[in-house]
Amino acid sequence: MGQLLAVKDLTVKFALRRSSLTAVNNVSFSLSRGERMGLVGESGAGKSVTGFSLINLISKPGYIDTGSILFEGRELTGLSDEEIRQIRGNRITMIFQDPMMTLNPVLTIGTQMVETLKAHGNISTRKAEAVAIDKLRLVQIPSPEKRLRQYPHEFSGGMRQRIVIAIALLTEPALIIADEPTTALDVTIQAEIMDLLITLCDLSKMGLILITHDLGVVSEVTEKIAVMYAGKIVESGPTRSIISDPSHPYTKGLVKAIPGNIPPGEPLHQIPGMMPTLTDIPAGCSFHPRCEYAGNICTTQIPDLAPVPSRQSNVACHMISGRLAPSDIGSAARRKRQTAIAEELPA
Amino acid sequence: MFAFIIRRVFQALIVMLIISLLGFAIKQSVGDPVREITGISVSAEERDALREKLGLNDPFLVQWVRFLDRAVHGDLGNSFYFKRPAFDVILSKAPATLELVFATALLVILFSVPIGIYAAVRPNAWPARFLMGASIVGVSIPVFLTAILLIYIFSVTLGWLPSFGRGELIEIFPGWKSGFFTWDGLAHLVMPSVALTTIMLPLFIRLVRAEMKEALETEYVKFARAKGLRPSRVLLLHAFKNTLLPVITVGGVQLGILIAFTILTETVFQWKGMGSMFIESIERADTSLTVAYMVFVGFIFVVVNTIVDVIYGLVNPMVRVAGGRS
Ligand SMILES: Nc1ncnc2c1ncn2[C@@H]1O[C@H](COP(=O)(O)OP(=O)(O)OP(=O)(O)O)[C@@H](O)[C@H]1O
Ligand SMILES: [Mg+2]
C-alpha cells in the first residue's frame, strides 16, 4: 500500500484581535491508500478543524500556521485557492455531521450532484446525471432517476445522509473525511449508514478519516486511531492495541467510557473535569489537571508524542515507564503512584 | 400549488372587502354625493328628493353593497372637480406613477443586490463600511428634503436636470403616455426616481446583506465549498438563492409603501401622477376621487402582494409541495 496522506507538524491558529488561539497544535499522522483512521476526542479537541484544514476550508479567522500536508505526493499547504479547489470535493471529499443542514434547501438533488462533477471536469449534464444516478443507486436510494428532480426536504434524515455520501463518491476520491457522519441520525439508522460507508470505502479502495467522539464506532471500522486532546494528538497507533490496551491516561478514560465496556448495572464512566478552553490551556501537559497520575513534571513540561517501548503506539505522557529520570519525580507519594502505573502498564 | 394560489386569492378578496368598507365609511362621513352632482345652487327640497332617489337614505350596509357592486364594475363615483368618473381620472394619472415606481424599483434592485452581497462578503472593507454608514444617513433623511436637495444641486446650481414635470412623452398605447422612450422623458425621470430610491435603497441593502451573511454561515454553503465549487457559484447560487425568499417578501410590502411615498415625491416634482392628484383631491374636497384613489391603490397593493406570495411559492420548494405554509 502506497502512502496517501502525510500530515506533519500541522498547527492551525485562529487570529484574534491581538493574539491568536492554537486549535491544532503540532499534529502529525499519515494514511496509506485505502486505510481508515479514526480521529477521536472530546468536543472542542480540534478534530473538525484538523479535518477542514486538510482541504484549506477552516472557518474565518483560522489559518494554517505551520506544517506540511502531503497528499498523493503533492504539498497542499501553499497551493493557490484555485489549485486547492480542484482537489477539494474531487480527490478529497467530505461528509458533514447533520444531513438536515448539509444540502441546499432550494436546489434539487440533481443540481447539487451535477454541479459537483461540472466543477471538476468538462462533462455534459447528461453524462453527469448518469454518474449521479449510478452513485445514488450505490447508496441504495430507490428510483434515483425520479429522485434527482426532488428537493432535500422530500427525503428523510437517513436518506439525506445517503445522498451526501453519494455526493462524496461522485468524483471517485482517494480520501473521504467524514466529520461525525452518524451523530445527528437516529440510533437505528446509525449502524446502517456506517456499514454503507465502510462497504463503499472498501469497494473503491478509498481512504477514510472518521472524526468522532465515539471510540466504540471507531474501534469497529478503522485500522488506526489518533486521540486528540486540546489541539494535540496524545496517543496514536493501531486501533486494536489502543482499544485493548490504551497507554495515555486520557485514552484509558475514553476506553473505559465505551458503553460496551461497562458491565450492565454499573454507572457510565466519566473522565472527571472538563477539557480546557483554548484561551487557558494549562502549562505542561494540558491533561494534567484531570489526570490521576500527574507528577511535578507534568505541570511544567510538555510531553512529546513518542513511541512507547514494546508497543506499536505513540504516546505523549511523562508517566509512561522508562521515560522519567528519578529527579523528575516530586514527592514520595507521587513516586508511589508512578510505580503503580509502571506496574499497570507492563513494560 | 393550485390550492395555495386559490387560498391566497381568497385572502386578497377579503382584504379588498375591508379596504372598500373603510373607503366607503370615509365617503359616508365626509363627502356629500348630492353636491357632487348638483353644485350649490339647488334648493334644499330638490336635494332631499335627489337624496331619496339616489338611495342615500338607505341603511349603511345596503349602501355599501351598492358601492361594492359599482366598484366591481369600475364605477368609483364621479370626481366633483374633473366632472368625470373618478376611475377614469385615476387611470389617466396611473401611468405616470407606475413609471416612477417601476424606475425606482429597478434602481433599488440594481444597486441593493450587488452592494448588499459585497457588504456581506467583505464586511470589514472600507467601501462596505462607508456604504453601510451612508445608508443610515439615507434612510433618516425625509424624502422631500432629499428631493429639494437634488433640485437645488442638479437643477438650480448645475442646471443639468429638469426639476418638474414629465417632459416629452410618447403614447405607447391608447391612454398610456410614456416617458421611457425619449431622452427628455428619461431626464425628467432621473431626480424623482432617485429621490424615491433613497428611501428604499438603504433598507434593501441592509436586508440583502443580512440575509447573505446568514446564508454564508450555513452548513450547506460550507458543504458547497467543500464540494470544490467555484466561489462565484457558491455565492450567487447557493447563498443568494436562499436570500431571495425574504427579499421578495419584504420587497412586495415595500412596493406598496413606495406607492404611498410617491404622494410626497410627485408633489415636490410636480409629477402629474396619482400621488399629486390625491393631494389635490384632498385640497379640493373631491371626496369621491380621494376614496377612489385609496381603493385603487389598495387594490394594487393587494394584487402585488398576492403575486409576490405566489412567486415566493415558486421559489420555495417547501411551499410548493406542502401547498401552503402557516
Ligand atoms: N471560527 C472559529 N473561531 C475561533 N475558534 C474556533 C473557530 N472554530 C473552532 N474554534 C475553536 O477550535 C477548537 C476546536 O474546534 P473543533 O470544531 O475542531 O472541535 P471538535 O473536536 O470538532 O469538537 P466537536 O466534537 O464539538 O465537533 C474549539 O475550541 C473551538 O473553540
Ligand atoms: Mg467537530
Side-chain angles (χ1 to χ4, degrees):
Chain A
M1 275 199 286
Q3 171 148 303
L4 176 65
L5 173 74
V7 175
K8 206 159 181 316
D9 301 329
L10 181 68
T11 297
V12 179
K13 295 188 172 174
F14 285 94
L16 300 182
R17 242 165 229 281
R18 259 171 251 106
S19 58
S20 63
L21 294 177
T22 307
V24 176
N25 195 344
N26 250 315
V27 160
S28 303
F29 58 87
S30 65
L31 213 64
S32 310
R33 283 195 180 275
E35 196 178 24
R36 293 196 282 269
M37 182 181 96
L39 199 54
V40 298
E42 275 169 289
S43 186
K47 310 179 294 287
S48 297
V49 173
T50 304
F52 279 107
S53 66
L54 298 184
I55 51 171
N56 198 9
L57 209 68
I58 316 164
S59 49
K60 243 310 153 62
Y63 62 98
I64 294 180
D65 187 46
T66 55
S68 131
I69 300 165
L70 204 63
F71 173 75
E72 295 192 312
R74 204 162 162 207
E75 177 57 49
L76 298 191
T77 59
L79 285 189
S80 73
D81 288 349
E82 176 58 19
E83 286 167 327
I84 191 80
R85 181 192 72 74
Q86 288 172 7
I87 294 173
R88 178 198 298 154
N90 186 16
R91 301 302 300 154
I92 305 178
T93 61
M94 279 201 78
I95 297 169
F96 284 16
Q97 175 171 350
D98 189 350
M100 304 309 265
M101 320 284 281
T102 310
L103 296 167
N104 196 322
V106 300
L107 300 174
T108 61
I109 300 307
T111 307
Q112 300 188 54
M113 297 186 84
V114 168
E115 66 178 359
T116 311
L117 285 159
K118 290 200 161 180
H120 298 292
N122 217 336
I123 183 169
S124 73
T125 305
R126 268 192 52 209
K127 273 199 185 132
E129 281 184 347
V131 176
I133 289 170
D134 201 41
K135 301 299 177 193
L136 285 177
R137 211 165 266 138
L138 261 187
V139 298
Q140 295 154 21
I141 300 275
S143 48
E145 293 87 353
K146 208 181 84 205
R147 293 302 218 163
L148 227 43
R149 310 267 164 263
Q150 297 188 331
Y151 289 88
H153 69 92
E154 296 170 60
F155 297 84
S156 69
M159 293 266 255
R160 287 194 212 185
Q161 197 64 316
R162 285 168 193 271
I163 292 167
V164 172
I165 293 175
I167 290 176
L169 296 173
L170 282 172
T171 52
E172 323 236 299
L175 174 64
I176 296 187
I177 302 169
D179 191 351
E180 315 210 16
T182 58
T183 317
L185 295 174
D186 247 319
V187 191
T188 46
I189 308 171
Q190 286 186 358
E192 221 175 281
I193 295 287
M194 194 52 78
D195 284 349
L196 180 72
L197 186 57
I198 299 312
T199 312
L200 293 172
C201 281
D202 278 341
L203 195 70
S204 29
K205 287 262 168 295
M206 280 178 300
L208 175 71
I209 296 179
L210 181 62
I211 298 175
T212 173
H213 48 248
D214 185 353
L215 256 186
V217 172
V218 165
S219 67
E220 284 165 27
V221 303
T222 66
E223 282 119 47
K224 56 178 172 183
I225 289 181
V227 180
M228 281 190 86
Y229 186 82
K232 287 202 195 84
I233 292 184
V234 293
E235 180 161 5
S236 66
T239 304
R240 210 169 323 124
S241 70
I242 287 192
I243 297 291
S244 63
D245 191 12
S247 303
H248 195 282
Y250 178 63
T251 319
K252 286 173 189 264
L254 287 182
V255 171
K256 263 198 210 159
I258 301 176
N261 288 359
I262 299 164
E266 279 192 28
L268 289 178
H269 177 80
Q270 255 189 330
I271 304 169
M274 294 242 291
M275 197 174 65
T277 55
L278 294 182
T279 41
D280 53 7
I281 293 203
C285 171
S286 44
F287 187 62
H288 84 256
R290 299 170 75 182
C291 181
E292 47 181 322
Y293 310 110
N296 281 358
I297 185 177
C298 303
T299 61
T300 53
Q301 244 182 43
I302 300 176
D304 289 329
L305 187 68
V308 188
S310 84
R311 292 182 188 224
Q312 293 161 291
S313 57
N314 296 308
V315 181
C317 180
H318 294 301
M319 292 297 157
I320 298 299
S321 59
R323 287 234 181 120
L324 287 177
S327 61
D328 289 334
I329 299 168
S331 65
R334 285 261 156 75
R335 192 171 301 132
K336 221 191 247 161
R337 270 206 238 158
Q338 154 76 14
T339 29
I341 302 172
E343 275 159 18
E344 198 178 310
L345 308 172
Chain B
M1 189 64 203
F2 187 67
F4 168 70
I5 293 178
I6 294 289
R7 226 181 46 218
R8 284 291 124 144
V9 169
F10 184 69
Q11 285 169 0
L13 285 178
I14 292 181
V15 174
M16 272 321 292
L17 270 185
I18 295 171
I19 291 173
S20 76
L21 183 60
L22 285 176
F24 181 67
I26 292 173
K27 199 167 175 169
Q28 282 297 90
S29 53
V30 181
D32 181 358
V34 175
R35 191 198 63 164
E36 282 170 21
I37 299 169
T38 59
I40 358 174
S41 59
V42 175
S43 74
E45 290 81 45
E46 277 175 298
R47 284 188 194 202
D48 285 341
L50 195 57
R51 204 173 277 281
E52 189 59 40
K53 201 178 132 205
L54 289 173
L56 295 176
N57 296 329
D58 292 346
F60 182 85
L61 275 179
V62 174
Q63 292 197 51
W64 176 46
V65 171
R66 200 180 293 138
F67 172 82
L68 260 183
D69 180 51
R70 285 190 190 140
V72 169
H73 292 98
D75 178 6
L76 291 168
N78 281 306
S79 161
F80 158 70
Y81 176 82
F82 289 97
K83 306 263 182 292
R84 277 199 289 153
F87 189 61
D88 289 359
V89 177
I90 288 178
L91 276 192
S92 70
K93 304 280 184 186
T97 300
L98 293 183
E99 286 192 354
L100 179 57
V101 168
F102 179 73
T104 305
L106 215 61
L107 285 179
V108 169
I109 294 171
L110 226 56
F111 284 99
S112 68
V113 169
I115 294 177
I117 292 179
Y118 172 76
V121 177
R122 293 266 139 74
N124 295 321
W126 70 263
R129 284 165 185 247
F130 171 77
L131 287 166
M132 297 322 288
S135 78
I136 292 183
V137 177
V139 83
S140 50
I141 299 180
V143 63
F144 61 88
L145 204 64
T146 318
I148 290 168
L149 219 66
L150 284 173
I151 290 175
Y152 181 77
I153 296 173
F154 293 101
S155 300
V156 178
T157 311
L158 297 171
W160 289 353
L161 290 168
S163 66
F164 65 89
R166 293 182 67 197
E168 192 188 331
L169 304 178
I170 290 178
E171 184 149 0
I172 47 173
F173 47 85
W176 189 299
K177 288 196 176 128
S178 173
F180 276 126
F181 302 95
T182 62
W183 286 117
D184 190 49
L186 288 174
H188 279 79
L189 192 57
V190 173
M191 285 203 299
S193 56
V194 166
L196 262 183
T197 302
T198 58
I199 334 172
M200 290 295 151
L201 191 57
L203 173 84
F204 275 84
I205 291 178
R206 286 177 171 274
L207 183 68
V208 171
R209 183 188 71 136
E211 293 298 332
M212 261 317 260
K213 263 184 139 167
E214 203 179 309
L216 287 174
E217 293 291 311
T218 58
E219 286 291 293
Y220 55 78
V221 163
K222 200 164 189 189
F223 189 61
R225 291 207 180 100
K227 291 196 298 187
L229 303 186
R230 289 185 179 80
S232 56
R233 188 174 173 93
V234 175
L235 207 64
L236 300 180
L237 183 68
H238 281 262
F240 185 65
K241 194 165 182 196
N242 278 280
T243 69
L244 278 182
L245 298 178
V247 171
I248 288 174
T249 314
V250 176
V253 177
Q254 293 302 317
L255 203 61
I257 296 175
L258 199 55
I259 293 176
F261 271 111
T262 58
I263 297 173
L264 281 173
T265 314
E266 286 185 5
T267 306
V268 177
F269 290 102
Q270 296 172 44
W271 191 264
K272 294 292 171 204
M274 291 189 296
S276 55
M277 176 211 78
F278 175 67
I279 293 286
E280 285 164 8
S281 79
I282 293 176
E283 284 166 357
R284 293 169 187 141
D286 196 346
T287 318
S288 279
L289 196 53
T290 309
V291 170
Y293 172 85
M294 289 167 58
V295 172
F296 185 74
V297 168
F299 177 71
I300 292 181
F301 193 83
V302 169
V303 168
V304 166
N305 271 292
T306 307
I307 292 175
V308 163
D309 270 345
V310 171
I311 294 177
Y312 185 102
L314 289 178
V315 176
N316 186 350
M318 245 96 77
V319 176
R320 213 177 311 162
V321 172
R325 75 203 141 96
S326 51

